[in-house]
Amino acid sequence: MADYKDIVGSKVTTVSSNPENSTSGQVWYNTTDNVLRYKKPVTSAAWASGGNLNFGRRSGAHLGTQTAALYVGGLKVTNPGGTDKVESYNGTAFTEVADIPAGKLSLAAAGTQPAGLAFGGEPETADTQTWNGSGWTEVNNLNKARHNHMGDGTQTAALCFGGGLAPNLPAGSALNESWNGTSWTEVGDMNNPSSYHSGGGTSTAAITMGRFNPSSPIWPQTEAWNGSSWTEVADLSTGRYFTGGGGTQGASLLISGQAGPGTQNIQSSEEFSAVSTIAVD
């Protein structure tokens, strides 16, 4: 039977820490962790057109999956200010469903199409509502009102992190709150205050990337949440904010953004793949 060197032309590299610039499919032995590791190959993909919203807008929140999603609130260009419109997507088309109680934009959401959660938003609010598939119910508020924050998780286990807080809204905050299905509790803060950022994952394994702060707007830091604290992981190749993106802590996608005030929009995207451990005999 051929060994690894015969197949790839080189031996497995032995290192004391994981390589910072590992390539897809690379294998190495980490002597500190005493495990064999590799970087997951990233599968190529393509974008295709989907259904149009009934009400064009931006800065809303989304929850659910590719074929069962909700788009909540947002800013309509023809009617400045937040809208209360909510639309459901079935994988082909959007259908208007029950409105949220008050118009808002730059809010966050979590959960699924039949069991969702929406929280925060602009005008500055701490409001939280649950969605049962047909209507919204007011529940306990966030501890701190905010907008341009991120949210991940489910209707009964969610995370709300970062965002602009009054009175210093543009600067963003490091504040992090956890939702248990009944109420919000302040938990471990992020290492870097953030707003206009993206994220993904769950209430116990989240990721945040791309961020804004007036004193240093081009921030490349990425942070991972393990259920109790945030840790800085690999930086973005290009620091940016006003980003789109999501995914899981182990496999995320960051799309577009801006590298600083007055700069042109960034067209590129970045993929993040966490290093995984593979079993050896």
Side-chain angles (χ1 to χ4, degrees):
M1 179 182 293
D3 59 22
Y4 182 83
K5 182 179 179 181
D6 293 332
I7 296 171
V8 301
S10 63
K11 294 182 178 179
V12 175
T13 303
T14 300
V15 294
S16 59
S17 61
N18 298 324
E20 292 185 2
N21 299 310
S22 57
T23 58
S24 178
Q26 181 179 346
V27 178
W28 63 92
Y29 185 79
N30 186 311
T31 57
T32 301
D33 299 334
N34 292 319
V35 291
L36 187 67
R37 295 185 181 275
Y38 82 112
K39 185 170 183 179
K40 293 180 180 178
V42 178
T43 303
S44 61
W47 295 97
S49 297
N52 292 336
L53 286 164
N54 293 283
F55 301 91
R57 56 197 190 271
R58 62 175 174 83
S59 300
H62 71 279
L63 58 87
T65 66
Q66 186 187 62
T67 56
L70 285 185
Y71 190 67
V72 185
L75 174 66
K76 292 182 66 176
V77 176
T78 56
N79 182 23
T83 179
D84 57 4
K85 298 297 182 185
V86 179
E87 297 190 40
S88 175
Y89 189 65
N90 63 4
T92 303
F94 282 95
T95 302
E96 188 179 359
V97 292
D99 296 343
I100 49 176
K104 61 182 73 173
L105 64 144
S106 301
L107 66 163
T112 65
Q113 191 187 64
L117 186 72
F119 40 97
E122 183 183 350
E124 204 70 13
T125 180
D127 287 351
T128 302
Q129 293 96 23
T130 58
W131 168 258
N132 63 5
S134 60
W136 297 91
T137 301
E138 293 275 0
V139 290
N140 287 320
N141 288 352
L142 289 161
N143 290 285
K144 297 288 177 62
R146 65 182 86 185
H147 73 279
N148 286 318
H149 49 293
M150 277 305 305
D152 296 304
T154 68
Q155 189 184 71
T156 56
L159 205 62
C160 175
F161 46 96
L165 303 179
N168 191 22
L169 299 179
S173 74
L175 187 65
N176 184 30
E177 299 189 37
S178 176
W179 170 258
N180 63 4
T182 303
S183 59
W184 293 97
T185 302
E186 291 190 24
V187 289
D189 287 352
M190 293 184 293
N191 294 286
N192 301 286
S194 302
S195 62
Y196 304 105
H197 52 142
S198 294
T202 68
S203 63
T204 56
I207 188 169
T208 179
M209 56 274 192
R211 63 188 72 234
F212 174 81
N213 187 292
S215 63
S216 180
I218 309 173
W219 283 19
Q221 289 94 338
T222 300
E223 297 188 35
W225 168 255
N226 65 4
S228 59
S229 62
W230 293 91
T231 301
E232 288 193 27
V233 291
D235 286 352
L236 293 167
S237 299
T238 303
R240 59 182 83 185
Y241 62 101
F242 285 131
T243 57
T248 66
Q249 190 184 79
S252 301
L253 178 68
L254 186 70
I255 308 166
S256 67
Q258 193 173 355
T263 64
Q264 292 185 339
N265 292 333
I266 299 172
Q267 292 181 282
S268 65
S269 65
E270 296 190 36
E271 295 176 332
F272 177 82
S273 296
V275 173
S276 302
T277 301
I278 58 176
V280 292
D281 295 329

